[in-house]
Amino acid sequence: MRVETVLTEEQIASRTRELAQQIQRAYAESRPLLLSVLKGSVFFLADLARELGSGYPIDFMAVASYDGTRSTRAVEIRLDVSTHIEGRDVLIVEDIVDSGLTLEYLLGVLKARGATSVRVVTLLFKSDAFQGRDRPDFIGFELPNEFVVGYGMDLNEEWRNLKFVGRLVP
Ligand code: IMP
Ligand code: MG
């Protein structure tokens, strides 16, 4: 299997810098909790948090989704945050939003816990596959509906280590 570059390390870095500026402007005074959805988003979180600067707490959640058919997919929490969510501004940090079902579930959970606001930043967005209601608030790149790996994203735990985003070519 060969990996063909879709986004270079430089493209990702420069877009992450722009996203950080957008986020800083959008929140003005407040410092949202950066909520990274494990595992894919940890690389993006690490770079984004360093561009954002001080004062942004981070926390993690892991969810699992079960494939029945796509429309019967169920999502479940595997690891929960250690932060009290009530009254917090929360910024969900995602590597990639595909169908949007994971995100829709998380938005519901965080709102039910009384978050003051919940917004979403994702490095990648597959707009053609998206079935959710609202697009993510901050989007790095829109991609066609194809499977990608690297920069945290995996296929069966492989390829996360790549510094770029690529597609697998047999
Ligand atoms: P969704 O619930 O369909 O939006 O899928 C969300 C999760 O599926 C993402 O956070 C990723 O962990 C994983 N995922 C979706 N598309 C890809 C891909 O192209 N490569 C690797 N992981 C993906
Ligand atoms: Mg993810």
Side-chain angles (χ1 to χ4, degrees):
M1 204 83 99
R2 195 166 59 79
V3 188
E4 202 172 78
T5 304
V6 173
L7 295 167
T8 65
E9 195 180 344
E10 291 73 24
Q11 285 176 301
I12 295 167
S14 101
R15 188 69 185 126
T16 300
R17 218 166 294 132
E18 291 173 355
L19 287 172
Q21 287 164 4
Q22 283 180 29
I23 291 165
Q24 287 162 340
R25 278 198 296 273
Y27 284 94
E29 298 304 296
S30 102
R31 292 283 179 273
L33 172 71
L34 305 178
L35 177 49
S36 163
V37 186
L38 294 171
K39 304 173 190 170
S41 74
V42 292
F43 296 65
F44 178 47
L45 170 77
D47 286 336
L48 182 68
R50 282 179 287 186
E51 291 297 341
L52 282 170
S54 64
Y56 293 83
I58 66 174
D59 207 338
F60 300 91
M61 250 176 129
V63 294
S65 60
Y66 299 97
D67 271 324
T69 65
R70 206 179 189 102
S71 57
T72 61
R73 256 178 58 181
V75 186
E76 176 185 283
I77 297 176
R78 284 288 171 79
L79 175 82
D80 211 337
V81 291
S82 57
T83 310
H84 193 63
I85 293 299
E86 194 179 342
R88 296 300 301 262
D89 291 310
V90 179
L91 179 61
I92 298 175
V93 180
E94 267 285 23
D95 47 353
I96 186 162
V97 175
D98 184 0
S99 69
L101 294 180
T102 305
L103 201 57
E104 200 144 273
Y105 173 79
L106 282 176
L107 287 168
V109 168
L110 296 167
K111 283 173 185 164
R113 292 181 185 178
T116 302
S117 71
V118 187
R119 286 195 259 195
V120 181
V121 57
T122 186
L123 180 67
L124 306 176
F125 180 54
K126 293 185 188 173
S127 49
D128 294 339
F130 187 63
Q131 298 169 31
R133 224 167 334 202
D134 304 309
R135 289 162 54 96
D137 301 87
F138 309 96
I139 295 171
F141 301 92
E142 289 199 19
L143 288 186
N145 194 1
E146 68 172 348
F147 197 81
V148 291
V149 295
Y151 197 65
M153 288 167 286
D154 73 310
L155 175 63
N156 302 326
E157 292 297 326
E158 235 189 302
W159 311 108
R160 290 192 198 279
N161 59 296
L162 300 178
K163 293 183 178 177
F164 58 94
V165 172
R167 65 174 70 87
L168 294 170
V169 189

